[in-house]
Amino acid sequence: MTSHRLKTALDATLHQTVHRHGGAPGVVAMATDRTGNFYEGAAGTRELGLDRPMATDSVFAIFSTTKAITGTCVMQLVEEGKISLTDPAGAYVPEIDELQVLDGFDADGRPRTRARRAGASRSTT
């Protein structure tokens, strides 16, 4: 696909996202590879009810994205053959093996924890 066709297709996707019923008021998207950004686009408005267009340099507060970013990075490492999904997580982050299991709460409402039981399946995420 040519870069012009790719840009046209991605711009159309952003446009549809903000103009369909129930869509987002505004979106920004970028795609990159090892050499840098090969797509930057924005559509919609920065704020509902205002006529300020979204821009590729708009500033956002983004919350709860660490799992998505971490998952993407892990899958890239799997693709590159550097890790396996069947490897125990403690092989890469030894502190995970020290985590305790919640075993309930004491009379004052404080959590009670314990070591995981021997033979329990190990986390691979």
Side-chain angles (χ1 to χ4, degrees):
M1 180 178 280
T2 67
S3 61
H4 175 73
R5 285 185 53 193
L6 179 63
K7 179 175 176 16
T8 300
L10 294 173
D11 285 346
T13 300
L14 298 184
H15 181 81
Q16 183 215 7
T17 300
V18 299
H19 290 93
R20 71 173 186 218
H21 178 72
V27 293
V28 174
M30 294 184 187
T32 190
D33 62 15
R34 285 181 169 85
T35 62
N37 290 350
F38 60 85
Y39 174 78
E40 297 182 10
T45 60
R46 293 181 187 209
E47 187 175 345
L48 284 174
L50 297 180
D51 193 25
R52 293 178 33 209
M54 188 65 73
T56 57
D57 64 351
S58 294
V59 177
F60 295 89
I62 301 175
F63 304 98
S64 297
T65 61
T66 55
K67 291 177 194 77
I69 292 168
T70 301
T72 300
C73 293
V74 166
M75 294 312 294
Q76 287 176 329
L77 291 171
V78 169
E79 282 182 341
E80 294 171 7
K82 294 181 178 175
I83 67 171
S84 170
L85 291 178
T86 59
D87 293 342
Y92 304 104
V93 185
E95 296 84 1
I96 287 176
D97 289 338
E98 305 303 319
L99 292 175
Q100 298 283 301
V101 175
L102 180 64
D103 198 34
F105 296 90
D106 66 18
D108 295 323
R110 291 181 300 236
R112 284 190 327 258
T113 60
R114 62 169 174 77
R116 67 181 175 87
R117 293 187 180 100
S121 62
R122 298 180 75 183
S123 172
T124 58
T125 58

